[in-house]
Amino acid sequence: MKRWIGVGLALALGAAVVLALLLGNGGDGGGEQRTLTTVRGVIGSEKKPFFDDPAVRAAFARHGLRVDVDTAGSREIATTVDLRPYDFAFPSSVPAAEKIRQSRRIARTYSPFYSPMAIATFQPIVDVLAKAGVVHDSGAGYQVLDLRRFLGLVAKGTRWDTLPGNASYRARKRVLLTTTDVRTSNSAAMYLAATSYVANGDDVVTSRAQVAEVARTVAPLFLDQGYSESSTEAPFEDYLALGIGKTPMVVIYEAQYAARLFAGGGAIRPDMRLIYPAPTVLSKHTLVPLTDRAAEVGRLLQEDPEFARLAARYGFRTADPKVFANLVTKTKAPIAGSLVDVVEPPAYDRLEDLVSTIERSYLAGAKPSS
C-alpha cells in the first residue's frame, strides 16, 4: 500500500512540474513539446485583469505563447511610452492605435473587442436627473443621460442641492460626472469625444478652429472636478466602495460594470445603476503588433472563439454579439442589448488638440467656473 501511495505522489508531483513548465516562461526549461514564446505588450489598465486570468494565460499557452503585459494610459502609450521593449501596444481606442500604426508604418491592426462608454450611478441620482429632464428612458430597456441638457446644467454651474424636487441627494457640489485625467486616460478622452460632438452642433470635430470653440464649452467638465485619477479603475473602485457621497456619477467602460455583474459576489448593490450617455462612443480596444510574433496574439484575440468567451466574462463585447448577449441573458444583467445613439470620436490629431487645449488650462491654473 505504501508503495502505491508513493507512486501516486510521484505521479502527482510529475504532473505539477509539467504544468509549471507549460505555464512558465518559455526557453527556461520548457519541454520539447511546449516551449512558450514570450510576447510582451503595453496595454490600457482596464484589460489587466483579463490578461492576468489563469484561464487566459492557459489559453495562450496552448498556442505556445506566454503574454506578459505592462499598463499605461492610452494617450501615454501613443505619445510618451518607450515602445522598444514591447512586441505590441494595445490602447483602448482607435485614435491612439492609429497614431501608433502610422508612426511605425504598420499595415495591420486587430480590434478583438470593444466597450461602450457608460455611466455608473445610483437610483436616487437617476430619479433627480429624470425630474430635471436630463435622464430619460431609451425605449429599448435602458436609460440615457442627454448630454446636451447635461452640458446646459454644467454651463450654469448647477449644484445638486438646487435641482428641482431633489430631496434625496442634497449635496452642495456641482453637477458633474467624475472622470479620469483627460491628459492621460482614454476613458476621459472618450467622454471628451462624445461631449465635443454635442458642443460642435452634433458633428465630429474636424478642424482646429472648431477645437478652440468647442474647448470653451467642454473644458469645465474636466477642470471643475479638481483632482482626477490617472487610471480608470480608481474612480470605479471609489464608486463601488465609497458610494454616492464620494462618487454619485462616474464615467466608465461598460465592461467594468458588466464584469462585476457577470462575476456575481454582490459588488454591484441593488441601488446601483448603469446608464448611457446620449450620444455615446465605443472604446474599440485595438492591438498594434510591433513585431511579427505579436500578430499571432492579435489574431487569436480577434478570431478564436475561446478568447471571445473569456473576454465576454470581463464585460467586453466581441465580433460575435451572441457571446456577450448570452451572458447578459444568463445573469439577467441590466445592460443594453444594443446601442443606436453612437458617434465616432475625432481623428487622433483633433482629439489631441482638444486634450492639449484643456491641458494648457490646467497648467495655467484655471479656476472652476462659478
Side-chain angles (χ1 to χ4, degrees), residues 189-263:
M190 292 297 96
Y191 176 51
L192 173 60
T195 53
S196 70
Y197 182 93
V198 174
N200 194 43
D202 289 339
D203 207 356
V204 177
V205 173
T206 58
S207 71
R208 285 197 169 92
Q210 291 172 338
V211 166
E213 183 67 27
V214 166
R216 281 193 285 271
T217 300
V218 300
L221 299 171
F222 304 95
L223 298 174
D224 289 4
Q225 291 184 58
Y227 174 76
S228 297
E229 299 278 1
S230 60
S231 165
T232 309
E233 287 300 315
F236 185 56
E237 289 299 327
D238 281 350
Y239 165 82
L240 294 174
L242 303 179
I244 193 171
K246 171 68 167 61
T247 313
M249 305 175 73
V250 58
V251 175
I252 63 168
Y253 300 106
E254 176 198 62
Q256 292 174 279
Y257 198 96
R260 298 292 182 134
L261 286 172
F262 295 161

Side-chain angles (χ1 to χ4, degrees), residues 83-295:
L83 296 179
R84 287 176 295 181
Y86 298 107
D87 297 294
F88 67 89
F90 200 177
S92 305
S93 71
V94 172
E98 187 63 14
K99 171 69 173 178
I100 299 166
R101 188 194 69 79
Q102 291 180 2
S103 65
R104 294 301 186 100
R105 294 183 172 87
I106 293 167
R108 171 101 195 250
T109 60
Y110 301 86
S111 296
F113 35 76
Y114 68 95
S115 182
M117 300 312 300
I119 300 163
T121 185
F122 299 85
Q123 188 60 53
I125 299 297
V126 172
D127 294 340
V128 168
L129 292 179
K131 289 179 182 177
V134 179
V135 168
H136 64 269
D137 193 271
S138 67
Y142 59 92
Q143 291 178 298
V144 299
L145 179 99
D146 186 316
L147 282 185
R148 179 169 298 284
R149 294 187 177 186
F150 183 76
L151 287 176
L153 291 182
V154 174
K156 292 184 287 188
T158 306
R159 297 177 185 271
W160 287 103
D161 61 354
T162 66
L163 286 172
N166 179 6
S168 55
Y169 188 67
R170 303 286 295 171
R172 288 179 286 181
K173 57 188 178 183
R174 291 181 181 84
V175 178
L176 289 167
L177 289 170
T178 297
T179 72
T180 46
D181 192 328
V182 73
R183 295 169 292 181
T184 59
S185 174
N186 180 68
S187 62
M190 292 297 96
Y191 176 51
L192 173 60
T195 53
S196 70
Y197 182 93
V198 174
N200 194 43
D202 289 339
D203 207 356
V204 177
V205 173
T206 58
S207 71
R208 285 197 169 92
Q210 291 172 338
V211 166
E213 183 67 27
V214 166
R216 281 193 285 271
T217 300
V218 300
L221 299 171
F222 304 95
L223 298 174
D224 289 4
Q225 291 184 58
Y227 174 76
S228 297
E229 299 278 1
S230 60
S231 165
T232 309
E233 287 300 315
F236 185 56
E237 289 299 327
D238 281 350
Y239 165 82
L240 294 174
L242 303 179
I244 193 171
K246 171 68 167 61
T247 313
M249 305 175 73
V250 58
V251 175
I252 63 168
Y253 300 106
E254 176 198 62
Q256 292 174 279
Y257 198 96
R260 298 292 182 134
L261 286 172
F262 295 161
I268 303 298
R269 299 189 298 276
D271 65 331
M272 292 177 169
R273 297 292 180 268
L274 184 71
I275 64 176
Y276 297 84
T280 190
V281 294
L282 302 181
S283 178
K284 298 177 183 176
H285 299 265
T286 305
L287 187 149
V288 185
L290 306 174
T291 65
D292 289 341
R293 59 179 173 268

Side-chain angles (χ1 to χ4, degrees), residues 279-319:
T280 190
V281 294
L282 302 181
S283 178
K284 298 177 183 176
H285 299 265
T286 305
L287 187 149
V288 185
L290 306 174
T291 65
D292 289 341
R293 59 179 173 268
E296 179 65 1
V297 174
R299 187 193 68 79
L300 287 170
L301 289 173
Q302 184 165 292
E303 299 177 7
D304 192 302
E306 180 179 15
F307 285 98
R309 288 191 295 272
L310 291 167
R313 281 172 33 187
Y314 284 89
F316 296 113
R317 298 177 185 243
T318 67

